[in-house]
Amino acid sequence: MTVFHFFNCAILTFGPHAVYYSATPLSEYDTLGTSIKAALVYLGTALVKLVCLATFLKVSENDSFDPYQELLKALIGFVDVAGLYFALTQLTHRNIAQNHKFQAVGLGWAFADSVLHRLAPLWVGARGLEFTWDYILQGIEANANLVFSISLAALGSLIWLRKNKPKTLIPIIYACAVIVATMPSITSYLRRGLGWHFPKVVGFELFTSLVMAFISCQLFAACQKPSA
Amino acid sequence: MGSRKAREREMLDSVCSMIALVFFLVTCVELCDAATVVDVYRLIQYDISGAPFGSRLAKLNHHAGSLHFPPGADLSRTVLMIPVRDLNITFLQDYIAQRQPLGGLLFLLPRMFSFENKDDTRTNHQNQESDLLKSVVAELEQLLIHSNVPYPVYFAFEDDDIDAVLADVKRTDAIGQPATATTGGFKLVVSAPEPKKLISPTITNIQGWLPGLKTDGDASQLPTIAIVASYDTFGAAPALSVGSDSNGSGIVALLEIARLFSLLYSNTKTRGRYNILFGLTSGGPYNYNGTQKWLRSFDQRLRESIDYAICLNSIGSWDNELWIHVSKPAENAYIKQIFEDFSSVAEGLGFKVGLKHKKINISNPRVAWEHEQFSRLRVTAATLSQLFTAPDLLESTGGLVDSRHFVSETAIIRSVKLVAESLARHIYGYQGNNIQIFADDSSLAVNPSYIQSWLDFLSRTPRVAPFLSKNDPFVMALKKELEDHTHEVNVQHEVLDGMFTFYDLTKARLAIYQVASVTFDLLLLLVLGSYLIVLFSFLVITTRGLDDLISIFRRPPSRKVKTA
C-alpha cells in the first residue's frame, strides 16, 4: 500500500495547482502557455542560482545558522525575483488581462518549484514500506509555497506593470514584496537558528502565506480602483 | 473555444499515459529504507538420513507480534519476537509439537552471549541470573535442534533499536490490536533466497608430527603418543556456534602442549624417545566422523606404534575435578599406567582426576567420545574431559550458550600442565617423582597470554564444519600454527558422511519497517479529496461567483431543456 501513500502525497503536492488552474478563469482564457513559459523561466533561474551557490558558498560542517552564509543565500535568492520580473515583463503574452497574467505566472512558477524540489524526494521516499509524516508535511509546504508564489507574482505585477499606483501604498507594496521574497531565509533561520521542528515550520509557513495572500489581495484591489 | 478544449484534452491524455508509464516503473523498483536494520542468524536446517530438522524456511515478510498476544489470535501471518529472558519453554514446546501455524520466530539473546561484545563480561556478578539464562537457552537450543519447524526462526542480539520496537509491539498487543495489514504496526522483512543443500561438505583433519630421538641402535620404529582434539562445533545458530569450551578449550590446550614439546624436542639432548602425533580433527558432533576417517588413513605400522592417545574435550570450565573416560576396563595394564601418571600429577597440582569406564557397543553407530574411534581400531585411548556423562548426539557441541564468558583460562592452564607433565613422565620415564618439568618460572612455563589470545580468537570464529570451506582461513591458521611447532604437517580433506545433510544460509539482515494501516491511507485519501473539492469550490466562488459554481452542477439539465 505504499504506492497508495505516494499517490496521496502526490495529490497533496500537485493537486492544488491543477485545481487552481481549472477553478479560476485561467482555464477559460487558456493561459496554459503562460504558465509553461513561467515554469521554464523558473528552471533557468534555478540553474543560475545553483551556479552562484556553488561558486560563492562554502559548505559548513555543522548544521548551525551562519549569518554571513545566510545573507549570501538571501542575496542569491534575489535572482528569483529577477527571474520573476523577466517572466512578468519580458515574455510576450497574448492579450491577457493583468490580473490573470500574474496568476498564470505565479502558478507556473510554483508548479516548477514543487516539481523540482519535491518530486524526487517523494518518488524515492514515499514508496518505501516505512511510514513517516515527512511527505505529508512536504505537501502542505508545497501548498503554502503556491500561495506565496502567487502573492509574490501579484506584488511583482503591481510594482512593474501597473504604472499609476496610489502613492501611499507604494512602500507597503515594496515591504510585502521584500518579506515574501526573503521567505526561504526566514524559514531556514527558524529551522537552524531557533531549532524549530518541521511541523512547526510548516505551520508557520502556512499561516504567513495566508496572511500575505490576504494583504496582497487587498493591495491589488486597492490599486484596481482608478486613482484620482 | 472547441479547438482549445480539444487541445486540452490531448494534453490531458498524454499526461495520463505518462502517469501510467510511471506506475509501471514503480512495480519494477524495489526499495529499502527501513528505520532499523539488524543482523540476524538463522536456525540451522539439516536432515539426518532424510528426516528434516530445524527451520525449513528463510524468507520472512510478516507483521511483528509479542508474547502478549490476545488468546485465540491468528498468528499464521505474525512473527513472534521473544526475548529469551521471558521465554516459557513449555509453551513453545506445546506450540511446536502441535504444529500450530506461525509466521516466524525471532529470539532476542542478551548481549552476554555475543562474541562481538567488547565489554569486559568476565565479571562474576549476576552469576545466578546468568546461570539461569544459560540453562534456559541450552534447553531452547536442544528443543529447536530436534524439532522440525516449518517457518523461519532467527536469533538476534538485544540492542536499543530492537528493544524500542519490542516495547511498541508489546504495547499495541496489550491494547488488543495485533498488527495486521489493516491496523498497521511493525513489519519484519528478511529477503533471502530459498535455502539450498550443501553438496559434499568437506571436513578437514590436520595432523602434526614431532619425531622422537632415534639412536643408531634402534632397529624398529619408535613408539608414538597421540594427542587429539576436534575443532568443529554444532549449534542452533551456526553463525554463532563458537564453542569456546566445546571444543575451543581442547584446541588451545593442544596448541600449547605442541608448543611446549616442540621447545623440548628442538634440542637433541632433551628430545624424547617417543614420537608425538598431534591431531586436530573435524566432524566431532557427527559421531567423530573425521577422526574415524583420519585413523582409517593411517599406515598399519603407524597405527600399531601408537602407545596411547589422549583426546581433549571440554576442559575449560572446571573447578577441581577432571575425568578420564576409557573404553577398556580399569584393570587393563595400559589404562592403569595412564591413570597413575595423571592422578599423581594431579595430586601434585592440587585437584582430582577420576576414571570412568564406558563399554563400546560396536553395533551402535553412536560414538560419544573421541577415544572410542581409536578403541574400535584397537588403539589404546582415553578422553580427558570435565564432563561426567557421555553427551548425546548433538549435545555439548559448542552451541549458543558456549561463549567466552563462561570459560576460564586458569582451568585450561591447569589442564595443560596436567597433560604435559603426565606425558613427560611417560616419555622420560620419571615414575612417581615429584619433578616439575613445566614449572611456572622456567623457560618451559605454560604461557597464559598464548592461551588467552587463542581462546579469544576461537571465541570469535564460528566453526560448523559444513560451512568451513576447504581453504577456509581458520583451517589455514591452524595448519600454520601446527607447522610452527611440529616437524611435518599433513592436511586431509574428506567428505562428511551421507547421514547428515546441511542447508546453506546462516546469516541475514532483518529490516524492521513501521507501516501505516490501510485504513489510514484510505482516510488520508478521503481527507485530501474533500480538501481539493473545498479548494475548488472556494476558488470558483471567489473568482467567478457563486452562480458559476451552481451552474457547473446544473449544466446537464439546462441543456436538456434547450433541446426540448
Side-chain angles (χ1 to χ4, degrees), chain B residues 72-262:
Chain B
D74 176 27
L75 295 174
S76 58
R77 301 191 73 75
T78 313
V79 176
L80 285 182
M81 294 173 67
I82 305 181
V84 292
R85 285 176 221 270
D86 307 335
L87 178 61
N88 181 354
I89 278 276
T90 38
F91 157 75
L92 195 63
Q93 247 168 357
D94 293 335
Y95 211 82
I96 293 178
Q98 289 161 17
R99 310 190 71 80
Q100 296 202 11
L102 189 61
L105 277 172
L106 178 67
F107 289 103
L108 299 176
L109 303 167
R111 285 228 74 93
M112 179 170 72
F113 292 117
S114 160
F115 55 90
E116 282 159 20
N117 193 5
K118 295 283 185 275
D119 311 339
D120 184 17
T121 49
R122 293 176 214 148
T123 53
N124 276 330
H125 68 276
Q126 292 177 335
N127 229 346
Q128 239 184 350
E129 194 195 304
S130 61
D131 278 344
L132 189 64
L133 263 179
K134 202 176 163 188
S135 57
V136 165
V137 177
E139 229 188 301
L140 173 70
E141 191 169 8
Q142 286 301 308
L143 168 67
L144 288 175
I145 289 176
H146 294 290
S147 319
N148 178 10
V149 174
Y151 39 81
V153 178
Y154 283 97
F155 295 90
F157 289 106
E158 290 175 347
D159 66 7
D160 298 324
D161 296 328
I162 273 209
D163 284 342
V165 168
L166 184 63
D168 271 334
V169 171
K170 278 187 183 163
R171 216 186 13 247
T172 48
D173 269 354
I175 296 176
Q177 228 191 10
T180 54
T182 47
T183 52
F186 287 94
K187 204 158 194 206
L188 304 178
V189 177
V190 172
S191 50
E194 186 82 29
K196 286 190 291 288
K197 266 191 206 182
L198 289 176
I199 309 173
S200 317
T202 40
I203 47 177
T204 311
N205 298 319
I206 311 170
Q207 72 180 49
W209 178 257
L210 206 57
L213 187 66
K214 218 174 174 163
T215 53
D216 295 326
D218 286 333
S220 56
Q221 173 135 5
L222 282 178
T224 312
I225 297 180
I227 305 175
V228 192
S230 85
Y231 67 82
D232 68 328
T233 58
F234 180 90
L240 295 176
S241 299
V242 292
S244 301
D245 205 6
S246 312
N247 193 11
S249 51
I251 306 171
V252 168
L254 187 147
L255 289 176
E256 178 65 2
I257 295 171
R259 188 186 72 86
L260 290 172
F261 274 93
S262 81

Side-chain angles (χ1 to χ4, degrees), chain B residues 39-45 109 113-116 141 145 153-157 198 233-244 286 397-403 457-468 502-509:
Chain B
D39 279 326
V40 291
Y41 310 96
R42 195 169 83 100
L43 179 66
I44 193 165
Q45 181 180 357
L109 303 167
F113 292 117
S114 160
F115 55 90
E116 282 159 20
E141 191 169 8
I145 289 176
V153 178
Y154 283 97
F155 295 90
F157 289 106
L198 289 176
T233 58
F234 180 90
L240 295 176
S241 299
V242 292
S244 301
Y286 324 114
T397 48
L400 280 175
V401 285
D402 209 340
S403 61
F457 169 61
L458 287 169
S459 305
R460 284 195 311 269
T461 320
R463 309 188 289 279
V464 181
F467 302 107
L468 288 176
F502 290 90
Y503 293 77
D504 65 358
L505 221 114
T506 54
K507 216 177 148 168
R509 287 183 77 74

Side-chain angles (χ1 to χ4, degrees), chain B residues 43 45 47 54 59 62-63 68 90 111 113 203 212 255 333 344 349 355 425-426 463 513 560:
Chain B
L43 179 66
Q45 181 180 357
D47 302 335
K59 204 165 176 170
H62 290 305
H63 287 264
H68 303 293
T90 38
R111 285 228 74 93
F113 292 117
I203 47 177
L255 289 176
S344 56
L349 290 173
L355 186 67
R425 262 169 221 220
H426 187 89
R463 309 188 289 279
Y513 298 101
K560 269 194 192 159

Side-chain angles (χ1 to χ4, degrees), chain A residues 23 28 30 123-124 130-131, chain B residues 4 26 31 513-514 528 544:
Chain A
E28 281 180 21
D30 193 23
W123 175 255
V124 170
E130 181 78 14
F131 174 76
Chain B
R4 211 178 288 147
V26 159
L31 280 179
Y513 298 101
Q514 182 161 26
L528 287 177
R544 291 195 260 186

Side-chain angles (χ1 to χ4, degrees), chain A residues 10-223:
Chain A
I11 292 178
L12 180 59
T13 315
F14 303 114
H17 301 89
V19 164
Y20 192 91
Y21 185 80
S22 55
T24 56
L26 289 178
S27 53
E28 281 180 21
Y29 293 102
D30 193 23
T31 48
L32 194 67
T34 319
S35 297
I36 292 179
K37 281 185 210 162
L40 291 173
V41 172
Y42 180 84
L43 198 66
T45 49
L47 284 170
V48 170
K49 266 173 50 177
L50 202 72
V51 170
C52 289
L53 282 172
T55 319
F56 296 116
L57 227 56
K58 61 176 172 5
V59 179
S60 64
E61 278 87 40
N62 49 356
D63 205 18
S64 64
F65 182 74
D66 186 358
Y68 180 64
Q69 298 297 322
E70 294 299 323
L71 195 64
L72 217 56
K73 277 193 208 165
L75 283 175
I76 293 178
F78 276 106
V79 174
D80 254 342
V81 180
L84 208 56
Y85 168 79
F86 180 79
L88 279 172
T89 55
Q90 305 295 21
L91 290 178
T92 51
H93 304 295
R94 286 171 303 163
N95 245 351
I96 313 174
Q98 194 191 32
N99 73 342
H100 290 152
K101 189 194 288 188
F102 84 81
Q103 282 183 26
V105 168
L107 186 68
W109 196 263
F111 185 72
D113 182 88
S114 284
V115 166
L116 283 180
H117 286 261
R118 291 179 193 96
L119 182 62
L122 206 60
W123 175 255
V124 170
R127 282 188 305 129
L129 273 178
E130 181 78 14
F131 174 76
T132 47
W133 288 101
D134 280 345
Y135 301 106
I136 299 178
L137 289 173
Q138 206 181 50
I140 298 177
E141 194 182 16
N143 280 312
N145 200 48
L146 172 63
V147 180
F148 271 132
S149 301
I150 296 184
S151 321
L152 190 59
L155 293 168
S157 80
L158 276 184
I159 295 172
W160 297 307
L161 293 180
R162 187 166 289 275
K163 300 304 171 198
N164 43 351
K165 299 184 277 271
K167 290 286 184 259
T168 48
L169 292 176
I170 292 180
I172 306 178
I173 294 175
Y174 275 97
C176 288
V178 165
I179 292 177
V180 176
T182 53
M183 225 34 215
S185 309
I186 297 176
T187 42
S188 89
Y189 170 69
L190 288 174
R191 199 173 306 180
R192 301 217 193 125
L194 293 182
W196 280 19
H197 290 302
F198 198 35
K200 222 168 162 183
V201 173
V202 170
F204 170 78
E205 275 183 11
L206 210 57
F207 174 70
T208 337
S209 66
L210 290 173
V211 164
M212 279 294 143
F214 180 70
I215 296 176
S216 324
C217 203
Q218 294 303 321
L219 283 171
F220 205 85
C223 292

Side-chain angles (χ1 to χ4, degrees), chain A residues 1-9 11-12 15-16 19-25 27-30 32 36 103 123-125 127-131 133 135-136 143, chain B residues 1 4 7-8 11 22-23 25-27 29 31 33-35 61 187 189 512-516 518 520-522 524-525 528 531-532 535-536 539-540 543-544 548:
Chain A
M1 279 303 154
T2 55
V3 177
F4 200 164
H5 187 62
F6 168 75
F7 182 68
N8 281 343
C9 293
I11 292 178
L12 180 59
V19 164
Y20 192 91
Y21 185 80
S22 55
T24 56
S27 53
E28 281 180 21
Y29 293 102
D30 193 23
L32 194 67
I36 292 179
Q103 282 183 26
W123 175 255
V124 170
R127 282 188 305 129
L129 273 178
E130 181 78 14
F131 174 76
W133 288 101
Y135 301 106
I136 299 178
N143 280 312
Chain B
M1 180 74 173
R4 211 178 288 147
R7 238 179 295 140
E8 261 190 46
M11 216 171 271
V22 154
F23 273 108
L25 285 174
V26 159
T27 55
V29 176
L31 280 179
D33 58 337
N61 191 348
K187 204 158 194 206
V189 177
I512 305 181
Y513 298 101
Q514 182 161 26
V515 289
V518 171
F520 173 78
D521 282 329
L522 286 172
L524 190 63
L525 185 65
L528 287 177
Y531 164 68
L532 286 178
L535 187 67
F536 183 83
L539 287 172
V540 167
T543 53
R544 291 195 260 186
D548 261 341

